[in-house]
Amino acid sequence: MSADLSPIDKAKYVAAKRAVDYVHPGMKVGLGTGSTAAWMVRCLGERVREEGLRITGVPTSTRTAELARSVGIQVVSLDEAKWLDVTIDGADEFDRQLALIKGGGAALLQEKIVATASDQMIVIADAAKEVATLGAFPLPVEVVPFGWQTTKALIEETLEALDVLNRDVTLRMNGGRPLVTDESNYILDLHLRRIGNPRQLALVLNQIPGVVENGLFIDICDIVVIGHPDGRVTVRDINEGTERDDRINIEPNDNIFRDFSD
Ligand code: 5RP
């Protein structure tokens, strides 16, 4: 069955499989959102079923909560857990400093709150997500629906004041209507192509009335686990300043592939 997976799914799977080695019995674990994070939730579920691993999961979206419950992970809210040992999540882009763009799956607000409430954040990604400079992926910004067009205009003015060259801002849609997040907000996607100063932009965006949170994760991610379709994984730790290569066996009969449906 694993042979049926696309190269990109193999890369996501091996990154997820390696990352769940960081989870130990009794831990409280933030569960990210997206297709890579879904592999991680399945891999954790496999450890719960096969090793009797006892952990508590804090999901970052209703989608992840459903998946986690379905694979046997005990799920609690962040308020119940209060502080987490580790969060494992995907990303849309990451750079050499492990600054991230997240929110392609519209879950950036819960993802940022959960990751920030964790001792450690581990990002899992295929190698194509690594960039020299963030910004080719449109930057998601979560805004309240009230006055969203005014908020959009204020964001455009701010980008102009920052001398950002490409500043096309679009409302994310879902079936002809604005996409509504789990927190009942809208998402504006900022098509910037290049973000020269992510730290500054992240701070400035959050000063604009109507902006709830932006998808730039700066100084939050500790480790990135990069998966490759041939089973290689690269683990880069920003705090230790280390990079190690490893290999994950993609088992042809791995149970985890049976319920693959993404
Ligand atoms: C969701 C996210 C995701 O982590 C990000 O979009 C990556 O998703 P995928 O693993 O499907 O490429 O930020 O809000």
Side-chain angles (χ1 to χ4, degrees), residues 186-223:
Y186 291 170
I187 298 278
L188 295 174
D189 288 307
L190 279 50
H191 303 258
L192 308 177
R193 294 195 208 161
R194 183 179 186 285
I195 300 175
N197 189 338
R199 190 178 299 274
Q200 179 196 39
L201 184 61
L203 289 173
V204 168
L205 283 172
N206 282 14
Q207 300 302 312
I208 298 172
V211 169
V212 181
E213 192 48 85
N214 68 81
L216 284 165
F217 284 46
I218 314 288
D219 297 337
I220 296 178
C221 175
D222 299 285
I223 293 174

Side-chain angles (χ1 to χ4, degrees), residues 12 33-37 89-92 102-108 111 129 137:
K12 290 177 181 182
T33 294
S35 58
T36 322
D89 200 349
D92 299 299
K102 285 187 52 55
L108 69 99
E111 289 172 335
K129 302 279 183 68
F137 191 92

Side-chain angles (χ1 to χ4, degrees), residues 19-29 44 47-48 50-57 73-74 84-86 88:
V20 300
D21 290 346
Y22 286 88
V23 177
H24 302 296
M27 275 191 167
K28 293 187 264 187
V29 183
L44 268 184
R47 289 190 59 196
V48 167
E50 294 184 5
E51 293 169 29
L53 175 73
R54 286 183 56 243
I55 53 156
T56 308
I73 298 172
Q74 187 199 342
L84 310 181
D85 296 286
V86 63
I88 308 177

Side-chain angles (χ1 to χ4, degrees), residues 91-141:
D92 299 299
E93 283 184 351
F94 64 93
D95 70 10
R96 200 68 209 173
Q97 288 72 45
L98 305 195
L100 317 172
I101 287 185
K102 285 187 52 55
L108 69 99
L109 178 56
Q110 290 190 19
E111 289 172 335
K112 200 181 261 192
I113 295 171
V114 168
T116 305
S118 305
D119 284 341
Q120 195 171 45
M121 181 195 194
I122 301 174
V123 159
I124 48 179
D126 56 273
K129 302 279 183 68
E130 180 163 14
V131 295
T133 306
L134 298 176
F137 191 92
L139 174 65
V141 176

